Amino acid sequence: MSDLEVVGVRAMRGAFRLGPVRLEVPAGTATVLLGPSGAGKTTLLRALAGFLPLTEGSVRVDGAAVERLPPERRGFGFVPPNLGLFPQRRVRENVRYPLALRGASDAAEKTTAWVARFGLETLADRFPNELSSGQRQRVAMARAMAAEPRVLLWDEPLAALDVESRDTLVRLLRDLLESERIPLLLVTHDPATAFALASRVVVLHGGRVRVDRTPDALAGGPLDRFLARFLGYENLFSPEELTGARASSLGARLASWSGEDGLAVPPDALSWRAGPGGTHEARVAALRWTAAGWVVALRQGSLTFHTTAPGGVPGVRVGDVVSVEVDAAHVKALEGLPGEDAS
Amino acid sequence: MSRSTLAGRVLAAVLSASLVGLFVLPLVALFFYAGWGGISFALGSGGFRTSIEFTLLASGLAVAIGLLTGVPLGYVLARYRFWGKGLVESIVTIPVVVPHLVVGIALLLLFAPTSPLGAFTASLGIPIFDAIWGVVLVMVYVGASYVVLTSELAFRAVDDEVLEAARSLGAGPGEAFATVTLPAAARGILTGALLMWARGVSEVGGFLILAVAINPSIPWNGPVTQPASVWIYGYWGIDPAAAAGASAVLVLVALAIFLGVRILDRSGLSWIRGGWFS
């Protein structure tokens, strides 16, 4: 059981400057790192794991500074994006590796236990290239846990997984957090993972912490376009797009509601019916069938909105004129988020 | 299948078969010319058998030295950036392009008994001229580049993420090298060693200048002999059938060693690839 504290950490990778970053991950909890590509998420994990020297700041585990220790002595289980499995070793040998390294007398028993815990018994004699993505993730998890880490750092654990494999891994990670009581810091682009696992969500941008909130506070609080997109908002418009669309009735209305970083117009904020005569008029630009039903693209001037079909049936064709109403209560003004104090 | 596609495939097959034929047919001719008589003569010749034993010993020593020096150089070239790296990489390829007779002359000029370096090595009990160490030196010169180049490629192919995972699992830099990097690169290194060995055994030009008649010296304590290739070259003017028989035997020995190493690679050496403690 241990807590991870990151205090004013700065690091450099080429011309990219990370930090200052401050965050805390209490034992038995998960913090999710979000951010656009190049925000510094992987750089932060590698710096914490000891593969990138800090230029400033401290990394503490249970109050003890570890930033001067080499990676092998930090006790950080670091799982890189491609997992870093040993291709020439079988699953059992991969899991056994950290135990054999420290000469554990009960290495065989512990290997068997971890292999069983992650449901890898029937795969134990296979090589990593003989496994599916989800199975490889479980091997990486079992191997990382066999090292008995004090902190788990995981970069994109659930990337490129099908829904079933992802749910299995999320469940395994939650069980681990409860039973092993270690802090987990993970990078993900998947909101379902973030909300299923995270106690806190930290958003990095330009190498600095922009947001550090609980998932509930994240969904209910102010959002910028990146966060709105992450949370699944559709029809995101920048202030420039809205300003450019002021000549149209819908554009002028939406521009008046815009926040500093634009506006999100969820499908439930839009209602429409076939034919002219409504507050706003638009044309059907496209119709697309998805597993969730029909998606109707409506265009007025330079703005295109994606929405659903009333009653589940479009009843219109591409090029038809439709009447559109917008419910102000459901649109979300997007704000430029201030950089939160991270030093 | 369109006619142009069919014509392309036929052309590719003919060209490929031509090259494969070029590889195989000379050996077939060699075995036919030698016949059982030539082969049995070579097998019965004490001089030839001694030259084979000598060649295997010298090539083994050369490969050991090539691995000892070439693998670290390959690792440095694969993993580090430093001033003059391009120059070092160019130097490593020099032996591949220098004519081997020239190699012999250059080494002789450097290590002749009358030269300062030759006198120095002789004083250390390591004679070069007409000694096993001269043969080893030529073999290392003409073959170690293959160990360096294949090792470099093999080390480059080792994923950084795998090494970082090993470090975070508790392996120090040396342990990560021994348990992850080296096993992952083992096949490439082995290939380089095989190429080096084959190159050394097939050498003639360098031996003819530097070490054509080998006197007993540590570690060779046998009678005066020659590298097998030089023995064959010398016999070609005396008894072509016997030389062809000896050539056939040398080819068989080389093929047996290649085959043996490959079988070992697939089975017995798995402990290297799996890591020394698994």
Side-chain angles (χ1 to χ4, degrees), chain B residues 8 28 83 94-95 111 114 118 127 143 166 170 177 191 195 210 213 230 250 263 274:
Chain B
V28 174
W83 186 88
I94 285 177
F111 289 100
T114 51
F177 178 80
T191 301
L195 288 172
L210 190 65
V230 174
L250 192 58
I263 291 170

Side-chain angles (χ1 to χ4, degrees), chain A residues 46 51 70-73 75-89 93-94 96-98 100-101 143-144 147, chain B residues 159 161-173 175-176 178-184 270 272-278:
Chain A
R46 293 189 72 245
F51 298 113
E72 64 271 18
R73 291 181 53 206
F76 282 23
F78 172 61
V79 185
N82 294 318
L83 306 175
L85 295 179
F86 306 132
Q88 70 275 34
R89 292 171 190 269
E93 293 161 351
N94 263 278
R96 189 177 173 220
Y97 182 84
L101 264 182
R143 188 182 67 173
Chain B
D159 190 350
E161 283 195 1
V162 174
L163 290 175
E164 289 184 352
R167 294 291 304 278
S168 74
L169 290 167
E175 286 171 314
T179 61
V180 177
T181 308
L182 206 52
S270 62
I272 289 181
R273 293 197 303 277
W276 46 269
F277 57 65
S278 281

Side-chain angles (χ1 to χ4, degrees), chain A:
Chain A
M1 185 166 169
S2 50
D3 298 312
L4 170 67
E5 274 180 280
V6 178
V7 185
V9 157
R10 289 179 191 265
M12 285 186 70
R13 195 197 66 222
F16 179 78
R17 291 169 185 273
L18 173 77
V21 173
R22 178 191 185 92
L23 55 89
E24 290 178 21
V25 190
T29 71
T31 292
V32 164
L33 276 178
L34 297 179
S37 293
K41 307 180 294 291
T42 296
T43 303
L44 175 59
L45 286 199
R46 293 189 72 245
L48 298 181
F51 298 113
L52 194 64
L54 304 188
T55 54
E56 204 178 308
S58 180
V59 181
R60 296 174 193 159
V61 180
D62 279 343
V66 299
E67 68 271 7
R68 291 184 186 281
L69 297 177
E72 64 271 18
R73 291 181 53 206
R74 292 193 181 194
F76 282 23
F78 172 61
V79 185
N82 294 318
L83 306 175
L85 295 179
F86 306 132
Q88 70 275 34
R89 292 171 190 269
R90 296 173 195 278
V91 167
R92 188 187 307 282
E93 293 161 351
N94 263 278
V95 176
R96 189 177 173 220
Y97 182 84
L99 297 161
L101 264 182
R102 61 170 191 261
S105 56
D106 54 353
E109 294 78 14
K110 283 188 170 172
T111 301
T112 304
W114 283 113
V115 163
R117 178 151 179 188
F118 287 91
L120 298 166
E121 298 99 321
T122 57
L123 308 172
D125 291 323
R126 292 199 195 169
F127 288 99
N129 65 359
E130 297 169 335
L131 305 176
S132 69
S133 297
Q135 290 165 343
R136 285 163 46 84
Q137 297 275 6
R138 279 189 278 147
V139 177
M141 206 187 288
R143 188 182 67 173
M145 292 310 300
E148 297 175 7
R150 297 190 294 168
V151 174
L152 203 50
L153 306 173
W154 202 316
D155 201 347
E156 293 278 12
L158 309 163
L161 286 188
D162 59 70
V163 175
E164 191 180 340
S165 301
R166 191 191 63 195
D167 290 347
T168 303
L169 279 166
V170 166
R171 183 174 47 76
L172 283 167
L173 281 169
R174 290 178 79 161
D175 290 348
L176 275 179
L177 289 177
E178 280 183 23
S179 63
E180 307 302 319
R181 305 295 300 163
I182 55 174
L184 167 65
L185 182 60
L186 79 157
V187 171
T188 183
H189 286 108
D190 176 31
T193 307
F195 284 99
L197 276 173
S199 300
R200 294 198 75 80
V201 176
V202 171
V203 180
L204 282 181
H205 197 285
R208 303 186 64 159
V209 174
R210 295 278 303 281
V211 172
D212 183 351
R213 302 182 200 154
T214 63
D216 289 346
L218 182 73
L223 303 175
D224 66 358
R225 263 180 297 156
F226 168 76
L227 284 176
R229 190 174 295 115
F230 175 77
L231 292 171
Y233 279 88
E234 294 181 66
N235 302 318
L236 304 176
F237 300 107
S238 67
E240 293 75 25
E241 286 175 291
L242 295 171
T243 302
R246 275 182 183 277
S248 66
S249 64
L250 201 47
R253 173 63 59 86
L254 295 179
S256 70
W257 293 332
S258 174
E260 191 183 329
D261 200 32
L263 195 70
V265 186
D268 61 359
L270 292 168
S271 59
W272 62 273
R273 60 179 168 76
T279 309
H280 309 283
E281 289 181 5
R283 285 190 183 276
V284 177
L287 295 166
R288 193 174 77 244
W289 171 254
T290 70
W294 282 98
V295 173
V296 182
L298 304 177
R299 178 185 289 272
Q300 189 199 59
S302 59
L303 300 179
T304 301
F305 305 85
H306 292 89
T307 184
T308 53
V313 182
V316 289
R317 289 183 297 184
V318 173
D320 286 355
V321 173
V322 297
S323 298
V324 180
E325 306 294 334
V326 186
D327 182 354
H330 285 87
V331 298
K332 178 90 176 171
L334 304 175
E335 307 300 336
L337 299 176
E340 298 192 1
D341 182 15
S343 56

